[in-house]
Amino acid sequence: MDSAEATKGKEGVQKRSPLDLLMNQLRRKASFTERKKPAVGRLFRPSESSDKRNSNIPEMKESEASEGKENNDPGKEINNTTDEETGSVVGWGRVKQFVQKLGKTPHSQNLSLSHCDLTATDVVELATLLPFMAQLEVMDLSWNDLVGGSLKALTVHLQHVEKLRVMKLCNCRLTAQDLTALGQALDCIPLIEVLDLSWNIGVGAGNFRHFTEHLQPESTLKELRLVDCQLSETDVTALSEALPMLSSLEEFDLSNNKLSIKGIENLSSSLSSTPRLKTLKLSMCGLNKDSLSVLGQALKFIPALEDFDISCNKEAGGGLATLVTNLTLLTHLRRLSMQLCCLTKEDVLALVQVAPSLKELRELDLSSNKSVGDTLQNLLQTLPLSQMTKLPLNNCALSTPACRDLATAMQKLQQLESLNLSWNKCVGENLRQFLESLQSDCKLQELRLSSCNLTTEDLLYLESACQRGVLSQLKQLDLSYNGSIGDGGWTSLFGKAAALKGLEELDVSLRPSAFLSVSPWLPSLLEALPHLSSLTRLSLQHWSLSSAEREKLEKVLSKKNVILECDRMASPTPKAAG
């Protein structure tokens, strides 16, 4: 690593304002037992975006059943005691107290402390509790940025949790010293299978070698995630040299790291050491034509691959032919994602040539590639439609003929669970073709038709589909940004919405400039809501509700514990929908 690279990495990790540094020092000195009130960050932390939810970083939700298992926790039976002389809680009681004060549910096998504003003092205290968590298998400390710099206080005690299989340290501001400590502790957790260090820029800048140099042959790691760690060429080299130690690796995620052609060459040459690899994610890695050519040659080393993600590589357009030729070697491939890769017509036609060989394919994501609209017919003729479960075609510039071809193919898409046609304007006035092709045994659970220029007539056909029962398994329905739908369309749809008993999320939001009145169709919605027993989220953003209308809606939803997303508008405005 050259000096410039090291300087850049150091600045990336340590660049903070004087006030930030002062506050961090104060926070590091206060353990949770000294805090009389919850931290401000814990009260006002914004909810995570949907993008983060699709990238596997949301807070882990403890199983509802875990509370029922508390009484069976071996640690609780043995250690839930009180020192008679001091009156202090010891053993499992201390663990339970520690976890509950952080707003979490204690469980002997799963310790989830993500988003808890942990301080360095908390980390030390947690370390003293590890001897009472011998059954621990999962530890998640993600999204606690003060863990960085203090991880060694915890890792030196990991020998007490030798059953640990999963460790997540996403966005903890890890340092080179933390990586060293983690690497040195690997011997203490011989069963570790999952390690997630994503969103730690300190992992990059040439620091990753501090971890990899401690890896031993025949490591038990099966999943390694390094999303957005700003890996440098030096880090990728260290990672490539370490891959021979990871012969058990099954999932490898390097998304959001800019990979040079040399880095791709190094990685590709080492993939022969990971013959069990099932998932390879290289989304947003700056892949170009040359990268795809090198990567294509490496596919022969990983024949077990099931999930291959090269999405969001905008420079890949025009170079797919060199990659897809070798896709025929992946006889187990079930998911292929090439979203937003600026694919050319020639790229898609090259995929058409190999599609008949992809006999296990279940999901194909070509969304946000405009060329798909002109080549969809060719693709539909070669894909294994009868087993496809997910087919995102949003923002693909579908033409009216393409819509007809897809509508015809719906008869063969018998296992389809998710269909996304959003941002294809031609769907408007053509929705009938899709809906009439649906059979009574339709398995569709997700239907997204945002910004499709839908009309009132389209919603009447959607109402008819509800009435026929072909959408009975639908869980997510997105009809947002379709301002051309008249009040009669919404009224008719909600009138038959009771047939959507499995519906969990409904989005009928308008564009920000719209703000039309809900008054004409709100009674129909209010009448349907009691029948939507599974509904958890209703989005009415940019519609205008009076105070009385909002009160009625919130009263009905409060009984069902449904999240309502809408704007605070006192009265409707006469603007037309966009």
Side-chain angles (χ1 to χ4, degrees):
M1 176 178 64
D2 57 34
S3 59
E5 189 178 75
T7 302
K8 180 179 178 181
K10 185 176 181 180
E11 290 176 352
V13 177
Q14 300 180 353
K15 187 177 181 180
R16 306 182 191 178
S17 68
L19 179 59
D20 189 22
L21 291 173
L22 176 61
M23 293 303 296
N24 282 348
Q25 288 299 319
L26 293 175
R27 292 172 66 198
R28 284 182 184 277
K29 293 178 181 179
S31 70
F32 81 90
T33 55
E34 297 167 336
R35 300 180 204 143
K36 301 302 181 183
K37 298 180 180 179
V40 174
R42 198 175 302 154
L43 290 174
F44 298 99
R45 184 185 303 278
S47 60
E48 298 154 40
S49 67
S50 59
D51 289 340
K52 289 182 179 179
R53 289 197 298 269
N54 292 332
S55 302
N56 297 318
I57 61 172
E59 175 180 346
M60 183 184 297
K61 295 183 179 180
E62 291 83 6
S63 169
E64 293 180 0
S66 65
E67 294 186 7
K69 293 179 181 179
E70 264 184 37
N71 293 332
N72 297 324
D73 284 345
K76 183 173 180 179
E77 292 180 4
I78 298 173
N79 298 309
N80 192 13
T81 58
T82 303
D83 188 306
E84 295 181 358
E85 295 183 4
T86 64
S88 62
V89 180
V90 298
W92 176 252
R94 283 183 57 203
V95 176
K96 184 176 180 180
Q97 184 183 67
F98 180 86
V99 175
Q100 288 179 332
K101 285 191 176 182
L102 291 171
K104 300 290 186 173
T105 302
H107 190 277
S108 63
Q109 294 179 325
N110 188 334
L111 180 68
S112 177
L113 299 180
S114 60
H115 299 85
C116 281
D117 288 332
L118 295 179
T119 67
T121 306
D122 291 332
V123 175
V124 172
E125 188 159 1
L126 175 59
T128 67
L129 300 177
L130 291 184
F132 311 115
M133 292 186 278
Q135 304 303 315
L136 194 64
E137 294 183 8
V138 179
M139 181 187 294
D140 187 357
L141 305 181
S142 300
W143 303 92
N144 290 289
D145 57 15
L146 293 181
V147 169
S150 59
L151 191 62
K152 186 174 182 178
L154 181 69
T155 58
V156 294
H157 296 283
L158 287 183
Q159 72 271 15
H160 298 294
V161 288
E162 59 181 14
K163 293 184 179 180
L164 195 67
R165 296 184 302 100
V166 178
M167 191 166 195
K168 298 182 180 181
L169 295 164
C170 304
N171 195 35
C172 286
R173 289 194 179 182
L174 299 184
T175 65
Q177 291 75 22
D178 295 323
L179 293 174
T180 298
L182 185 59
Q184 292 173 340
L186 289 177
D187 288 340
C188 301
I189 44 177
L191 303 180
I192 191 71
E193 294 180 354
V194 179
L195 182 62
D196 195 342
L197 304 178
S198 299
W199 293 283
N200 284 290
I201 62 175
V203 171
N207 291 327
F208 196 50
R209 61 180 176 82
H210 294 292
F211 172 77
T212 58
E213 63 188 12
H214 295 284
L215 288 172
Q216 299 297 321
E218 303 301 323
S219 167
T220 57
L221 269 182
K222 292 183 179 180
E223 300 178 19
L224 179 60
R225 304 187 189 112
L226 301 169
V227 179
D228 197 10
C229 286
Q230 297 190 16
L231 299 181
S232 66
E233 193 169 290
T234 302
D235 297 309
V236 176
T237 299
L239 181 58
S240 301
E241 294 173 349
L243 282 182
M245 310 283 187
L246 305 177
S247 58
S248 298
L249 199 63
E250 295 181 3
E251 179 175 333
F252 193 22
D253 193 346
L254 293 177
S255 299
N256 294 33
N257 288 288
K258 182 73 173 180
L259 302 180
S260 65
I261 183 62
K262 183 178 180 181
I264 289 293
E265 289 174 348
N266 289 336
L267 281 175
S268 297
S269 63
S270 299
L271 286 178
S272 58
S273 303
T274 58
R276 301 179 187 177
L277 196 65
K278 295 181 180 179
T279 300
L280 178 60
K281 296 185 178 182
L282 298 172
S283 176
M284 206 178 297
C285 285
L287 303 183
N288 54 29
K289 298 178 182 179
D290 294 335
S291 303
L292 292 181
S293 179
V294 174
L295 192 58
Q297 296 299 318
L299 295 182
K300 59 186 176 183
F301 299 128
I302 44 178
L305 200 66
E306 297 179 3
D307 186 347
F308 189 28
D309 186 350
I310 55 170
S311 60
C312 303
N313 286 290
K314 296 183 179 181
E315 298 178 18
L320 194 62
T322 57
L323 174 72
V324 298
T325 301
N326 292 298
L327 285 180
T328 57
L329 302 173
L330 305 180
T331 56
H332 300 285
L333 192 65
R334 298 174 64 89
R335 178 180 180 271
L336 178 61
S337 180
M338 297 181 179
Q339 173 193 10
L340 195 60
C341 282
C342 297
L343 300 183
T344 64
K345 183 177 180 179
E346 290 70 27
D347 289 328
V348 181
L349 291 177
L351 180 59
V352 168
Q353 297 298 315
V354 302
S357 300
L358 306 178
K359 299 184 183 300
E360 297 297 319
L361 196 65
R362 299 292 189 273
E363 300 180 18
L364 176 62
D365 190 348
L366 297 177
S367 59
S368 298
N369 287 291
K370 303 291 187 181
S371 60
V372 173
D374 296 327
T375 54
L376 185 60
Q377 180 182 17
N378 306 80
L379 197 59
L380 292 174
Q381 291 175 346
T382 56
L383 287 173
L385 299 182
S386 62
Q387 61 193 33
M388 299 291 291
T389 61
K390 192 171 184 179
L391 189 61
L393 293 169
N394 47 298
N395 196 26
C396 282
L398 298 185
S399 61
T400 299
C403 284
R404 286 197 296 265
D405 293 333
L406 181 58
T408 301
M410 291 298 293
Q411 299 176 6
K412 297 181 180 179
L413 290 164
Q414 300 170 351
Q415 303 300 318
L416 195 66
E417 298 176 359
S418 175
L419 179 63
N420 190 341
L421 299 177
S422 297
W423 302 94
N424 288 293
K425 305 300 183 184
C426 72
V427 175
E429 299 183 349
N430 288 299
L431 187 60
R432 175 183 181 180
Q433 301 174 50
F434 297 101
L435 298 175
E436 290 185 342
S437 300
L438 300 180
Q439 304 299 313
S440 57
D441 59 348
C442 176
K443 294 180 171 58
L444 206 60
Q445 298 180 19
E446 179 182 15
L447 179 60
R448 300 196 178 276
L449 302 168
S450 178
S451 192
C452 283
N453 276 359
L454 297 184
T455 65
T456 299
E457 187 176 12
D458 289 321
L459 250 62
L460 294 179
Y461 288 118
L462 188 58
E463 171 208 345
S464 177
C466 292
Q467 195 169 10
R468 288 192 293 123
V470 296
L471 297 177
S472 60
Q473 296 194 40
L474 203 62
K475 294 182 179 180
Q476 284 116 21
L477 178 59
D478 184 357
L479 300 173
S480 61
Y481 287 17
N482 284 292
S484 53
I485 297 173
D487 294 331
W490 297 118
T491 301
S492 297
L493 176 63
F494 295 137
K496 301 298 180 183
L500 302 176
K501 295 182 179 179
L503 196 65
E504 298 176 359
E505 298 182 11
L506 175 62
D507 191 344
V508 296
S509 300
L510 294 177
R511 295 181 185 278
S513 60
F515 283 111
L516 299 179
S517 173
V518 303
S519 299
W521 50 261
L522 185 60
S524 297
L525 176 61
L526 292 174
E527 186 176 345
L529 286 175
H531 303 285
L532 300 178
S533 57
S534 300
L535 195 67
T536 59
R537 185 178 74 88
L538 174 63
S539 185
L540 299 174
Q541 294 184 23
H542 314 308
W543 285 96
S544 183
L545 291 81
S546 66
S547 298
E549 289 170 336
R550 175 184 290 275
E551 185 176 347
K552 287 181 181 179
L553 186 57
E554 290 179 342
K555 183 178 181 180
V556 173
L557 295 179
S558 64
K559 297 177 182 179
K560 299 169 57 61
N561 198 27
V562 176
I563 297 174
L564 174 64
E565 299 175 353
C566 65
D567 300 273
R568 294 267 176 195
M569 289 290 290
S571 59
T573 61
K575 293 181 180 179

